[in-house]
Amino acid sequence: MTATQSSPPSPDSSPPEKSAPPGARSNWSPIVALAGGIAVLVASEFLPASVLPAMAADLGLSEGTVGLSVAATAIAGAVTAPSIAALLPRTDRRTVLVGLLAAATVANLAVAIAPGFAVLLLGRLVLGIAIAGYWSFAFGAGTHAVPGRDSVVSTSIALGVTIATIAGVPLASLIGDAVGWRSVFAGAAVLSAAAALAVAAALPPVPPHPAAGFTMLRSALANKWLMAGVLGVVLVAFGNFTAYPYIRLAIEEVDADATVWLLLAWGVGGMAGNLAAGRFAGRLRVVAAAAPLLLGGGLLATVTATSLPVLAVGVVVWGLGFNMVPVATQLWVTRVEPVRAESALSLQVTAFQVAITLGSASGGALLDAHGVTAAFLLGTGFAVASGTVFAALRVPRG
């Protein structure tokens, strides 16, 4: 039976991949460089939230209009993620990754010097393309550089995202207040260029898969088990981002003075979630189902809390559950579709980006119409639905 005819393996089984030679010592510098790259890109994605008032005032725009630049980044990523690999089927993946970081450098620089909304929007669209492509290729490049360590590679890349989320927004806010919002984006451009140089220096050449292109993408789309997992990704990401933009509002309803340390607690829970998902990757089906259910429980506890201890538990569980998701789902899609992992990852990225946009918009509409509780309850429902999907999926063995 050929690879295209065989049934996909169980998500609880290990994918067929090249093992490290016995006694060989892994060189982790490529993984550190890849994680640094994704950290810079994700931090860049959410920079407008850090400096929104000053940015809007300087450009002569409303805060809502400037806020659209975040949604534009996600939309650009959703549209381009599946097509980058197809359009560059024979290009060395190290070259592609370095090029995407170079594009992010130009995008951040464009925002830093933007005279108005048109240049700002263009820069943010280019950044969305860079993020989507980088996320799609980074895992495969990492497992090529450090074979037999897929869970460690996935955890490291996701940890870069969590660190960017925890540190990037508050740090950028402080810098923006001190030296101006344009300096924040100029600094992001410098960091993007440094990340490109680090990836170029640390990562070995990564040849593309021989079948890379539209044929691989079509075959991945035909895998019903993969598409069921992608549906689970959409549901859980939608559930999180229905509520996440409004986490401060939920906290302030209980204890406004606790906002800063509870946001930090969310990040600490997130780091624990990244590490836990990698540690228990051998029970991947359980982890993939448990992560959305923990997210749902955390959202429900957060929005219904009437005391600070309950609120703290809810926020930590929320951070823990959601930050297990990128690791668990990245490993899930590549184990269900190991032959066409590149296309599988691009579909995972698309699912996340679509869900970020739709979830944030839906949560905002509910917030305006019915209050923060309604937004959080919708997020809880979608998270539980995702956990149910992953718990129900049984992939036949080949």
Side-chain angles (χ1 to χ4, degrees):
M1 187 176 288
T2 65
T4 55
Q5 293 171 322
S6 61
S7 299
S10 165
D12 284 322
S13 63
S14 297
E17 60 180 12
K18 185 173 68 174
S19 300
R25 298 184 65 182
S26 298
N27 174 17
W28 294 105
S29 59
I31 309 307
V32 173
L34 289 169
I38 196 66
V40 170
L41 290 171
V42 171
S44 298
E45 182 174 12
F46 294 107
L47 281 183
S50 307
V51 293
L52 191 61
M55 194 174 178
D58 187 37
L59 292 172
L61 303 168
S62 70
E63 293 183 4
T65 300
V66 175
L68 288 174
S69 66
V70 177
T73 303
I75 292 169
V79 171
T80 58
S83 60
I84 292 177
L87 294 172
L88 300 170
R90 300 292 174 260
T91 307
D92 185 283
R93 287 347 190 188
R94 178 179 65 178
T95 301
V96 175
L97 288 166
V98 172
L100 291 167
L101 287 168
T105 302
V106 174
N108 282 319
L109 188 59
V111 175
I113 63 174
F117 185 67
V119 176
L120 168 65
L121 182 62
L122 179 61
R124 299 297 294 177
L125 291 172
V126 172
L127 180 67
I129 295 170
I131 293 170
Y134 192 94
W135 188 273
S136 299
F137 292 124
F139 177 78
T143 55
H144 176 83
V146 187
R149 301 288 190 273
D150 60 337
S151 63
V152 176
V153 172
S154 184
T155 300
S156 300
I157 292 172
L159 197 58
V161 175
T162 301
I163 292 172
T165 304
I166 296 169
V169 172
L171 184 61
S173 181
L174 290 173
I175 296 173
D177 290 343
V179 296
W181 71 269
R182 293 185 185 274
S183 297
V184 170
F185 283 94
V190 172
L191 290 176
S192 299
L197 293 174
V199 170
L203 193 67
V206 183
H209 191 282
F214 285 106
T215 300
M216 175 188 281
L217 180 60
R218 285 196 299 269
S219 298
L221 288 168
N223 184 333
K224 61 182 180 180
W225 307 104
L226 171 64
M227 298 313 296
V230 169
L231 171 62
V233 172
V234 170
L235 293 173
V236 68
F238 184 99
N240 181 75
F241 287 99
T242 297
Y244 183 70
Y246 318 109
I247 184 173
R248 287 179 178 267
L249 298 180
I251 293 173
E252 289 171 359
E253 287 192 357
V254 178
D255 190 339
D257 293 334
T259 299
V260 173
W261 74 263
L262 282 178
L263 290 175
L264 179 61
W266 189 95
V268 172
M271 294 185 70
N274 288 155
L275 297 173
R279 171 65 179 81
F280 298 107
R283 301 291 298 166
L284 188 54
R285 183 169 170 231
V286 174
V287 173
L293 295 177
L294 285 169
L295 168 62
L299 290 174
L300 186 61
T302 298
V303 79
T304 59
T306 56
S307 65
L308 187 57
V310 175
L311 177 63
V313 170
V315 167
V316 170
V317 172
W318 176 1
L320 175 74
F322 180 68
N323 285 280
M324 292 172 66
V325 170
V327 179
T329 58
Q330 189 172 64
L331 293 172
W332 202 96
V333 299
T334 55
R335 292 188 185 184
V336 171
E337 186 56 279
V339 177
R340 292 170 283 269
E342 195 170 87
S343 291
L345 287 169
S346 72
L347 293 173
Q348 182 217 23
V349 172
T350 296
F352 260 103
Q353 300 290 0
V354 169
I356 289 172
T357 305
L358 297 180
S360 299
S362 299
L366 276 177
L367 177 71
D368 291 341
H370 303 290
V372 69
T373 299
F376 273 64
L377 290 178
L378 179 65
T380 299
F382 271 81
V384 171
S386 175
T388 303
V389 167
F390 281 113
L393 287 176
R394 293 183 178 275
V395 182
R397 296 179 183 272

